[in-house]
Amino acid sequence: MTFAIPRPVLIAALAGLAAVAAMTSLLFGAVDLSLARLIAAATGDGDRVASIILFDLRLPRALLALAVGAMLGLAGAALQGYLRNPLAEPSVLGTSNAAALGAVAALYFGLAQIHPAVLPLLAIGCALVSLGILFLLAGNAESPLTLILAGLALATLAGAGISLALNLSPNPFAAMEIMTWLLGSLENRSFAHLWIALPCIAVGMAMLLWNSRALDALTLGEDAAQALGTDLRRTRFRLLIGTAIGVGGAVAVSGAIGFVGLIVPHLIRPLTDRSPSAILLPSALGGAALLTFADLGVRLIPTTSELNLGVVTAFLGVPVFLLYLMRERRLW
């Protein structure tokens, strides 16, 4: 059932939810900070412990959660609109797996020890290389099915490379480091990671939002979209470039975090008129709020060691799959 909410109201509500998530993330953790203590630390009048907690630990982590969540949510909505596939997400094009392979290579060969920027840069580079291969495999075909098949081939190849790195890992500690990164986490992230990811995410989001009208036209089919003046090749190029750069930059600093791009558009769609353009920006805001709350959860859930963020988002994705399956069965 659809409960369409006016677009300005929906965007304002989701932006407010993301802001609440960010503020909550700053206040709570292993050491809770009162609002007064947080404000004092932010203005430079607080105690040293609160300042360290705020600026060295929580603020960069909260900002990264917002940025990465927004990118993943937007990419999922854009790909679902373009491919007309409700189960599409960034991994469909192989981008996430390729970026993960680049990061795993940096860990496996010890390149990450050279400089902190090597791992994210190699992840982004592999995402862009996968994009070039995707163009070669897809050729001039304009059918979304061709992109899906080529993307699945790339994702499988990258996954095999990751498995090979784990299988040939020189020692258990290297394998553990790779596995920890593959499960996704924002733990111990700093402003240096934010400055690496943010430009990529900004460029990727801008290119995906640029496609909003073209995605609406594609709901009528490729022929109708072309008749309405949509350049399918340029639309595909912007979509792929935006996804590769944005998701590559996000995965480079957060590790592999799945399901956000899948579940957020499904949660947002019933609140809109279901047109692709109406889902894009709300999905970005919803993704930012969801990932920030999920990151707060991994810090607050009492465990002997902090849960990985990718594990939490995977558990969140299962109910959405089940709800979608039940709805499809009712339609049958």
Side-chain angles (χ1 to χ4, degrees):
M1 185 177 293
T2 300
F3 301 94
I5 298 175
R7 181 178 170 83
V9 176
L10 179 61
I11 291 175
L14 291 172
L17 184 63
V20 169
M23 180 59 68
T24 307
S25 180
L26 296 178
L27 290 172
F28 299 105
V31 177
D32 294 342
L33 298 177
S34 66
L35 184 59
R37 193 178 178 193
L38 181 68
I39 294 174
T43 56
D45 298 327
D47 59 273
R48 179 172 175 78
V49 173
S51 298
I52 292 175
I53 291 175
L54 175 61
F55 291 108
D56 293 349
L57 299 176
R58 293 189 185 170
L59 184 58
R61 184 168 180 165
L63 292 176
L64 269 176
L66 291 172
V68 172
M71 183 65 236
L72 295 177
L74 176 60
L79 289 174
Q80 288 178 18
Y82 180 74
L83 300 175
R84 276 92 79 196
N85 185 336
L87 298 180
E89 62 166 343
S91 61
V92 169
L93 299 181
T95 304
S96 299
N97 284 32
L101 178 61
V104 167
L107 294 171
Y108 181 82
F109 293 107
L111 301 177
Q113 305 300 323
I114 299 175
H115 191 276
V118 172
L119 188 149
L121 290 177
L122 193 57
I124 295 170
C126 282
L128 292 175
V129 169
S130 75
L131 176 66
I133 298 174
L134 186 66
F135 274 119
L136 291 176
L137 292 176
N140 294 324
E142 296 171 352
S143 171
L145 180 60
T146 305
L147 281 179
I148 293 175
L149 294 176
L152 288 176
L154 282 174
T156 303
L157 180 61
I162 293 171
S163 299
L164 181 64
L166 284 170
N167 185 240
L168 300 179
S169 183
N171 58 71
F173 298 102
M176 186 178 297
E177 188 178 13
I178 292 173
M179 281 301 301
T180 300
W181 192 91
L182 288 174
L183 291 174
S185 176
L186 294 176
E187 186 179 8
N188 297 325
R189 297 306 188 266
S190 65
F191 280 108
H193 295 92
L194 182 65
W195 303 138
I196 290 171
L198 203 56
C200 298
I201 291 174
V203 170
M205 292 184 67
M207 297 192 76
L208 293 181
L209 289 171
W210 192 355
N211 283 330
S212 58
R213 291 187 177 180
L215 294 178
D216 282 345
L218 279 169
T219 58
L220 303 174
E222 286 87 356
D223 293 337
Q226 285 182 315
L228 292 173
T230 301
D231 189 325
L232 297 183
R233 291 185 181 180
R234 289 186 179 181
T235 299
R236 184 178 69 171
F237 178 79
R238 288 193 298 266
L239 184 93
L240 297 182
I241 287 286
T243 301
I245 295 176
V247 174
V251 170
V253 297
S254 68
I257 298 176
F259 290 97
V260 175
L262 172 66
I263 64 179
V264 170
H266 281 285
L267 296 175
I268 296 298
R269 192 171 287 112
L271 305 177
T272 67
D273 61 8
R274 295 184 176 270
S275 63
S277 62
I279 299 171
L280 293 182
L281 185 55
S283 291
L285 295 171
L290 176 66
L291 196 63
T292 305
F293 277 126
D295 184 54
L296 177 63
V298 303
R299 286 186 281 154
L300 296 182
I301 295 174
T303 55
T304 54
S305 60
E306 184 174 298
L307 291 174
N308 286 92
L309 189 54
V311 175
V312 175
T313 57
F315 274 111
L316 292 175
V318 172
V320 176
F321 267 122
L322 294 177
L323 288 173
Y324 181 76
L325 176 61
M326 292 174 63
R327 187 178 67 179
E328 289 299 307
R329 289 184 63 181
R330 286 198 299 268
L331 292 177
W332 293 342

